[in-house]
Every structure is written in C-alpha cells, then in structure tokens.
Amino acid sequence: MWSWVGHRITGVGIFFFLLVHVLDTSLVRVSPEAYDAVIGAYKHPIMIMGEIGLVGAIVFHAFNGLRIILVDFWKQGTRYHRQMLWAVMVLWFVTMVAFSIRHLMIFFEGWEGF
Amino acid sequence: MSTPTVEKEPASKIDLAESGDGAGAVQQFDITLKVRRYDPERTEDAWWDEWNLTMFGTDRVLDALHKVKWDVDGTLTFRRSCAHGICGSDAMRINGRNRLACKTLLKDLDTSKPIIVEAIKGLPVEKDLIVDMEPFFQSYREIMPFMINSSPTPTAERVQSPEERQRFDDTTKCILCAACTSSCPVFWTDGQYFGPAAIVNAHRFIFDSRDDAGDMRLEILNDREGVWRCRTTFNCTEACPRGIEVTKAIQEVKTAILTRSL
Ligand code: SF4
Ligand code: FES
C-alpha cells in the first residue's frame, strides 16, 4: 500500500512542478529579463535541494510506474510485486546517489555565495 | 454361532500424565483486550473498552471476545458462527490488520501491548464489531455468482478436465468474509467500487469452462466502478484469510477484458 501512497504523492508533486515550470518558461515570451531573474533563482541552495527532491520524485514515479506495468501485464507480476518494489528502491537509491554527486559538483563549481 | 469374545483394549500409545487433566500443560498468560465499541442506542460516539483477561496459549482472539461476552459484559456484540474459519462471519480489524478472529491465535500477537479490535472499515458500523454487509453483498449479486449455461442439460455431469478445473481453483476458496474489500483504500473512499471480493467471485465463473456468461460478467466489471478502480495496492491479497491471490485474480480479469476483443 505504501508504494501506492508514494506513487500518488510524487505524482501530485510532479504535477505542481510542471504547472510552475510551464509558467516560468512562458515568461520568456513576456519579458526575457524577468525570465532571467526567475531562472537565476534556481541557483539558490534551497532550489538545489528542491531539484534533488524533484528528481527523486520523478525517478521513483518512473521506476514504480514500470513496476505497476509489470504487475498488470506480466503473468508472474503479482507474485513478485514485493521483490520488484525492492528493485525499485535499489535502483532509486543508486540513481539518486549518482545524480546528487554530479548535481552538487556542478553547484559548487558555480557557487558565488549568497 | 459363536459368541463374540470381548477383546481387551490395547494399551494407549500416548503417555497421559498420572494426575491432572492435561490442561495444566498449556501455558497461560494475561492480555489486555481493547475493543472499539459503538451503540447508537446508548451514545452517538464510539468509545473504547479495555478488559484484562487470563487466557490460554491455545486461545484465539475469538475466545477472548467470548470470555468478555459470556463472563464480563454481555452487551459486547460481534458476529461469529462456525468459529473455525469456514463461514466468514468474524472478519475484524485486529491490531490494524483485517483477519478472522477465529483464526488469529493470541500467542501470535504481541501480548505485552493491548490487542486492539475494531470493526472492518468502509462499511457502516451497526453495533460494536458488526457492520452492515449489504453494500458488499449487493456487489456480489451484481456479478451473477452462479453458473449460467443455456445448452441442454446433459444426463451426466458437465465434464471438465483437471486443467480446466485448476484454472479457477484459487478463487473457489472464497468464504465472503469481506476482509479484502474492507482493506482496500479505493473502497474506503469510493463505496461504489465493486471491491476485490466481487471480482474474485466473478473470476471463479469467468474462467470456468462450463459457464457461458463470462462475457456478460466482463462487461459488468468493465464499468467505471469495476476492475479499473484497482490500483494494485495488494492490501486485499495480504488480508485474505484463505490465502487467495486476490490481486492476481483481479489482474487476470483486467487482462481478459483487454484481450476479449482480439
Ligand atoms: S477473497 Fe478472501 S478476504 Fe475476500 S471475501 Fe473471499 S475469503 Fe474473504
Ligand atoms: S466464525 Fe466462521 S469464519 Fe470465523
């Protein structure tokens, strides 16, 4: 059940990010300066952590989505749903460690202080 | 004619203790039973009652409920009939999990903490542990849980191979206890959903080679409130006291609906 709860929460979270994302991207049409200012905000450490969270949500949603497809369409899927959830967690962890290292490295290279 | 000779009984192979009735060998322990009570004739709100009981290692949650009802508080109300896991009357939420009270041994629970017993969720509570099962049976009736075959009745039985019988064996085991349906988060929020038990019982006939109305049942379950409501949370599979692979049965019905037109 908790994988389902997690799937819901990450799904709703990603939806709201997309909403904001569409808004900030469309700012370009309104005024490029405002766009630059808004995009500049993404350099803030809080946003960096937020981005890690966002990628974490997307990666979980993606892997678990594949798991649900297997549960529904692979004959043995319902027998191995638990093992597949473990696989999702392991894959999520590996992906997140790799992504976080790279993401933080890029951040510290360009870090100019507050 | 010979007169029957009285044979001497052979000596028992089982060692019985010289004294005592054997019950002394069963360990005893103290438990706290905490039950969520509800009686609309007494008060509007539900309340919790606690009893301290001394029980045997062979006792089940049902025995503890009996002890309270028979010796302490006769107003405690619950359903049970067979007391042996056959009739499906006494599904309840025990320590947050749906189980049959008659199949849950006290010694398997954590007896250092109170054992919490509530009515199953998602169905209207009538009194204490009794819920109104009507919505549950309504869905059950809708999937037509009986064999439909319009071909002339043969003089002997309708023959079925062991493989054909095996196809739906798992879902014949259902005792309609509602443990699955009342553990489903989709059913909690949307009481219109057919629920796992109805789908399990539809599965039992859809995959029966002797039955002709499989397509009709698939059509019924292709409804907005049918199988597509299932989000594969696996709560039903975990709750089923008969060990039926409920989510698997639902998945097979889903696949059957999709491949039907092919
Ligand atoms: S499928 Fe299992 S849990 Fe559901 S009603 Fe039947 S026996 Fe009870
Ligand atoms: S009393 Fe019949 S199943 Fe428990």
Side-chain angles (χ1 to χ4, degrees):
Chain A
M1 175 163 114
W2 296 113
S3 68
W4 167 74
V5 172
H7 203 77
R8 279 267 150 119
I9 292 173
T10 53
V12 171
I14 294 166
F15 173 75
F16 278 111
F17 165 74
L18 277 179
L19 220 63
V20 173
H21 186 57
V22 167
L23 286 181
D24 66 29
T25 312
S26 54
L27 256 183
V28 145
R29 312 274 328 227
V30 184
S31 117
E33 293 80 46
Y35 176 78
D36 284 345
V38 169
I39 292 302
Y42 278 104
K43 289 217 180 73
H44 194 274
I46 293 181
M47 292 308 273
I48 298 297
M49 293 319 290
E51 277 177 334
I52 293 184
L54 173 69
V55 171
I58 293 174
V59 170
F60 176 80
H61 203 81
F63 284 141
N64 195 50
L66 293 176
R67 171 179 162 268
I68 294 173
I69 291 174
L70 283 176
V71 164
D72 267 335
F73 290 103
W74 173 41
K75 273 219 153 44
Q76 298 296 316
T78 49
R79 290 227 170 112
Y80 297 109
H81 73 101
R82 214 174 282 266
Q83 286 89 328
M84 290 198 292
L85 184 59
W86 279 111
V88 165
M89 300 310 272
V90 170
L91 283 173
W92 181 84
F93 188 76
V94 171
T95 321
M96 284 319 284
V97 167
F99 170 77
S100 303
I101 290 174
R102 182 161 162 72
H103 194 60
L104 290 175
M105 263 164 61
I106 293 175
F107 164 66
F108 280 117
E109 270 166 22
W111 174 236
E112 295 152 2
F114 287 102
Chain B
M1 289 270 289
S2 63
T3 47
T5 50
V6 181
E7 267 180 45
K8 233 190 121 211
E9 246 185 65
S12 167
K13 290 209 184 73
I14 300 162
D15 264 336
L16 288 174
E18 285 298 309
S19 61
D21 54 5
V26 179
Q27 68 171 143
Q28 266 187 321
F29 47 76
D30 292 327
I31 61 152
T32 308
L33 187 70
K34 192 171 167 187
V35 180
R36 190 179 151 90
R37 310 282 311 267
Y38 173 68
D39 183 356
E41 285 174 10
R42 251 203 263 180
T43 63
E44 288 275 296
D45 302 314
W47 75 96
W48 290 90
D49 266 344
E50 270 188 46
W51 297 279
N52 294 313
L53 308 164
T54 303
M55 304 301 295
F56 288 109
T58 47
D59 283 339
R60 305 148 302 166
V61 173
L62 183 64
D63 297 302
L65 291 170
H66 276 155
K67 194 159 188 159
V68 171
K69 181 160 183 76
W70 293 339
D71 301 343
V72 189
D73 182 352
T75 64
L76 178 66
T77 312
F78 53 91
R79 294 199 312 152
R80 74 99 173 85
S81 183
C82 69
H84 292 86
I86 298 297
C87 69
S89 304
D90 61 343
M92 46 190 81
R93 221 169 131 83
I94 299 168
N95 284 352
R97 262 188 66 192
N98 279 4
R99 303 145 166 267
L100 296 178
C102 62
K103 275 184 83 173
T104 309
L105 282 170
L106 289 167
K107 72 175 175 59
D108 293 341
L109 302 170
D110 180 1
T111 45
S112 64
K113 287 197 232 123
I115 293 165
I116 298 171
V117 180
E118 301 157 80
I120 46 178
K121 288 220 270 178
L123 291 162
V125 181
E126 295 203 316
K127 189 180 177 191
D128 293 347
L129 301 175
I130 297 186
V131 297
D132 178 9
M133 298 279 280
E134 191 41 37
F136 174 79
F137 283 117
Q138 177 68 36
S139 308
Y140 174 61
R141 282 193 293 270
E142 269 169 45
I143 55 96
M144 303 185 290
F146 38 82
M147 193 176 83
I148 301 175
N149 188 328
S150 46
S151 64
T153 317
T155 45
E157 75 271 31
R158 295 179 196 272
V159 185
Q160 194 165 44
S161 72
E163 292 72 39
E164 286 170 333
R165 177 62 178 72
Q166 194 55 37
R167 182 67 193 85
F168 61 94
D169 185 67
D170 201 33
T171 45
T172 60
K173 299 188 294 197
C174 177
I175 55 173
L176 293 170
C177 65
C180 55
T181 298
S182 62
S183 75
C184 176
V186 178
F187 183 76
W188 295 339
T189 50
D190 173 11
Q192 296 300 106
Y193 171 42
F194 270 86
I199 301 171
V200 160
N201 287 280
H203 178 284
R204 185 248 170 272
F205 288 99
I206 290 168
F207 294 98
D208 187 335
S209 59
R210 298 164 298 185
D211 186 273
D212 282 345
D215 274 341
M216 263 158 83
R217 294 198 186 85
L218 291 180
E219 202 39 61
I220 292 168
L221 290 175
N222 196 9
D223 187 80
R224 221 168 60 87
E225 303 294 347
V227 281
W228 308 114
R229 280 271 121 141
C230 169
R231 295 291 188 276
T232 59
T233 69
F234 286 92
N235 283 18
C236 50
T237 306
E238 267 155 48
C240 181
R242 304 284 297 162
I244 298 172
E245 292 178 279
V246 183
T247 314
K248 185 161 183 283
I250 299 176
Q251 184 245 43
E252 287 174 0
V253 173
K254 282 177 182 168
T255 322
I257 292 178
L258 287 179
T259 52
R260 165 178 63 146
S261 45
L262 299 180

